[in-house]
């Protein structure tokens, strides 16, 4: 089987622009959750969120395209530009028809659509302008990326709630392993919009304060926004062109709870199945995993259920695992959350540290694993798992491997 490696990464979130800034924030145990500044939250349960800066795409996209881009599009393009330049694919000679785009998200250009509707209802606009609606569909961002980078390979958009972008990376890896692509630009993007904020508020899922995963006093999630993009590449192609391999995409697993539209399965059966499938596809023994980047929303239901699921999968080894929720730092970035957390996991493997769970001050007795509270720790890491769970019971787990460790595993387990 063709092996898949990561050769480019790009970041945009509440900490600002670029991977170096995101890495610095993760290691510092910083928290990007502050005041919601994009729209009024009067009457809501909370007034907080992690808000990203607006990307300046001057010189990055054609002037004719720039006015049509949504906030979600802009963050995706900014992150993709960084990942593309990092990978150096532009000078690789690889045909554009062999590079695809796979993107995950949920809101698309909803923020801009809400503003247009407000202006139309107030009489400011005589009619809804077509140009303003072009970027509203979630799928439009993948079209923008393909256009900006001139890519004519396989292209698709994944919408599976908060597991969307984790699934996009898995499906991108599938395209490479199946021989339909040699490289893929993949990841996720999501921007704040009032409809989503109001929906989570109505569910009473938003924390009035900050997100406190695994804490006894946790009161809900904090919303965030952003994008993370990756260049995934067939290993032999990457090595032949001398690319800097950041990590191996070991495998992924998907499952459905088939339980409830918003609540997770109380026994965590779907979460268990997704992790076990990911480990099986990657041919990884659970005892060889040293870090789990948890879904870790900080809601009363998620955290103990995910803890039980981790214990079910890893058994006695669970007590030796480091588990953390970077949502405590970035907020919950919805369809982009999986990609952003996979990026945090890649950085952990690359730089040999454990991202912390910040705001964790009084651990819940039901959540009794090592959640790396408060501050990052140096650690020797070779294999990690990233979990993403979404409304409707959409579960995805991804196995990532430090590249040196991946080579050792090839020798130990034989060729796929």
């Amino acid at each position: 089987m063709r092996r898949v490696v990561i050769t480019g990464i790009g970041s945009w979130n509440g900490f600002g622009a670029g991977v170096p800034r995101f890495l610095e924030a993760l290691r510092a145990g910083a928290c990007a959750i502050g005041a919601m500044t994009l729209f009024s939250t009067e009457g809501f349960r909370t007034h907080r969120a992690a808000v990203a800066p607006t990307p300046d795409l001057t010189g990055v996209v054609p002037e004719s395209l720039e006015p049509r881009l949504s906030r979600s599009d802009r963050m995706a393009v900014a992150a993709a530009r960084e990942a593309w330049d990092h990978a150096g694919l532009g000078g690789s000679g690889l045909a554009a028809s062999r590079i695809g785009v796979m993107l995950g998200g949920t809101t698309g250009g909803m923020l801009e659509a809400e503003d247009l509707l407000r202006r139309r209802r107030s009489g400011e606009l005589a009619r809804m302008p077509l140009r303003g609606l072009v970027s509203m569909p979630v799928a439009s961002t993948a079209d923008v990326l393909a256009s900006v980078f001139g890519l004519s390979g396989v292209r698709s958009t994944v919408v599976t709630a908060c597991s969307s972008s984790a699934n996009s990376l898995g499906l991108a890896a599938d395209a490479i392993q199946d021989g339909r692509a040699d490289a893929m630009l993949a990841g996720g993007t999501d921007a704040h919009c009032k409809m989503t904020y109001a929906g989570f508020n109505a569910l009473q899922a938003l924390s009035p304060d900050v997100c406190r995963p695994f804490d006894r006093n946790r009161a809900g999630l904090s919303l965030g926004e952003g994008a993370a993009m990756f260049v995934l590449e067939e290993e032999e192609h990457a090595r032949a062109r001398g690319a800097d391999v950041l990590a191996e995409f070991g495998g992924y697993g998907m499952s459905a709870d088939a339980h409830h539209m918003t609540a997770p399965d109380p026994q965590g059966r779907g979460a268990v199945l997704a992790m076990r499938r990911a480990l099986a596809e990657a041919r990884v023994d659970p005892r060889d995993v040293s870090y789990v980047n948890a879904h870790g929303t900080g809601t009363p239901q998620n955290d103990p259920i995910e803890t039980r699921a981790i214990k079910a999968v890893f058994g006695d080894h669970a007590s030796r695992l480091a588990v953390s929720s970077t949502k405590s730092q970035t907020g919950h970035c919805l369809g982009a959350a999986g990609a952003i957390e996979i990026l945090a996991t890649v950085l952990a493997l690359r730089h040999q540290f454990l991202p912390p769970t910040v705001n964790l001050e009084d651990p819940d007795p039901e959540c009794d694993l090592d959640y790396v509270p408060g501050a990052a720790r140096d650690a020797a890491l070779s294999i990690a798992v990233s979990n993403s769970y979404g409304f409707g019971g959409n579960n995805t787990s991804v196995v990532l491997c430090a590249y040196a460790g991946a080579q050792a595993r090839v020798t130990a387990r034989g060729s796929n």
Side-chain angles (χ1 to χ4, degrees):
M1 181 182 291
R2 288 155 59 98
R3 306 183 73 83
V4 178
V5 295
I6 297 170
T7 56
I9 49 178
S11 175
W12 197 279
N13 56 47
F15 290 119
V19 170
R21 186 170 293 181
F22 185 39
L23 173 61
E24 180 183 11
L26 289 174
R27 300 203 75 154
C31 180
I33 300 165
M36 166 52 80
T37 56
L38 296 176
F39 45 76
S40 171
T41 57
E42 183 179 357
F44 286 179
R45 174 181 168 90
T46 186
H47 312 288
R48 302 174 69 83
V51 180
T54 302
D56 180 1
L57 298 180
T58 303
V60 178
V61 300
E63 289 186 12
S64 59
L65 178 63
E66 201 275 340
R68 301 203 303 267
L69 299 182
S70 69
R71 184 175 181 83
S72 188
D73 293 336
R74 291 174 184 278
M75 293 190 293
V77 170
R81 177 82 270 170
E82 183 182 22
W84 183 264
D85 291 345
H86 188 185
L89 267 187
S92 68
L94 185 60
S97 62
R98 298 293 299 168
I99 309 175
V101 176
M102 194 72 68
L103 192 83
T106 62
T107 63
M110 186 61 68
L111 181 69
E112 290 75 18
E114 289 170 345
D115 184 61
L116 287 175
L117 180 60
R118 178 192 61 79
R119 294 166 62 194
R120 176 69 182 90
R121 293 181 66 180
S122 70
E124 183 180 344
L125 294 175
R127 59 184 179 84
M128 294 289 274
L130 177 61
R131 189 176 73 173
L133 298 174
V134 168
S135 65
M136 189 181 76
V138 178
S140 67
T141 306
D143 300 336
V144 167
L145 292 173
S147 176
V148 169
F149 294 95
L151 307 179
S152 55
V154 296
R155 175 175 36 172
S156 190
T157 301
V158 183
V159 184
T160 51
C162 300
S163 64
S164 297
S165 54
N167 282 335
S168 79
L169 267 74
L171 294 172
D174 285 346
I176 294 171
Q177 289 175 334
D178 294 345
R180 291 177 286 128
D182 292 320
M184 294 288 293
L185 186 62
T189 185
D190 249 339
H192 288 299
C193 67
K194 195 162 187 176
M195 183 181 73
T196 298
Y197 201 94
F200 277 94
N201 179 74
L203 289 170
Q204 297 187 5
L206 297 180
S207 173
D209 188 15
V210 291
C211 178
R212 301 178 183 276
F214 309 112
D215 194 285
R216 188 196 304 264
N217 299 310
R218 67 190 183 278
L221 59 88
S222 297
L223 288 173
E225 63 177 354
M229 296 298 298
F230 302 79
V231 172
L232 273 60
E233 194 169 349
E234 194 273 324
E235 182 191 31
E236 292 304 318
H237 183 274
R239 293 178 63 186
R241 70 181 185 88
D244 180 18
V245 176
L246 307 173
E248 181 187 11
F249 189 95
Y252 76 112
M254 300 167 57
S255 72
D257 282 354
H259 170 70
H260 191 273
M261 285 306 297
T262 58
D265 177 84
Q267 303 306 314
R269 285 170 291 202
V272 168
L273 188 56
M275 281 187 275
R276 285 180 173 161
R277 284 175 171 169
L279 292 165
E281 180 172 284
R283 297 190 178 185
V284 163
D285 188 309
R287 293 169 296 182
D288 292 332
V289 175
S290 45
Y291 171 57
V292 175
N293 187 291
H295 185 60
T297 57
T299 58
Q301 287 183 306
N302 174 89
D303 297 359
I305 291 173
E306 187 170 12
T307 297
R308 290 196 290 271
I310 290 170
K311 289 179 178 180
V313 172
F314 292 96
D316 292 343
H317 183 62
S319 63
R320 296 184 288 276
L321 279 173
V323 180
S324 69
S325 170
T326 47
K327 285 185 178 72
S328 64
Q329 299 184 266
T330 64
H332 191 336
C333 299
L334 302 179
I340 290 171
E341 289 151 25
I342 289 169
L343 175 56
T345 307
V346 169
L347 292 173
L349 290 166
R350 179 75 166 175
H351 297 278
Q352 296 291 282
F353 78 102
L354 297 169
T357 304
V358 302
N359 308 318
L360 173 52
E361 299 167 354
D362 185 6
D364 185 334
E366 287 192 80
C367 301
D368 55 356
L369 300 177
D370 175 9
Y371 301 110
V372 196
R377 297 200 307 254
D378 292 336
L381 305 178
S382 59
I383 303 174
V385 171
S386 181
N387 289 333
S388 297
Y389 310 141
F391 278 176
N394 292 289
N395 307 298
T396 305
S397 294
V398 171
V399 174
L400 299 154
C401 312
Y403 193 56
Q407 293 302 95
R409 285 193 307 106
V410 173
T411 302
R413 73 188 183 184
S415 173
N416 280 348

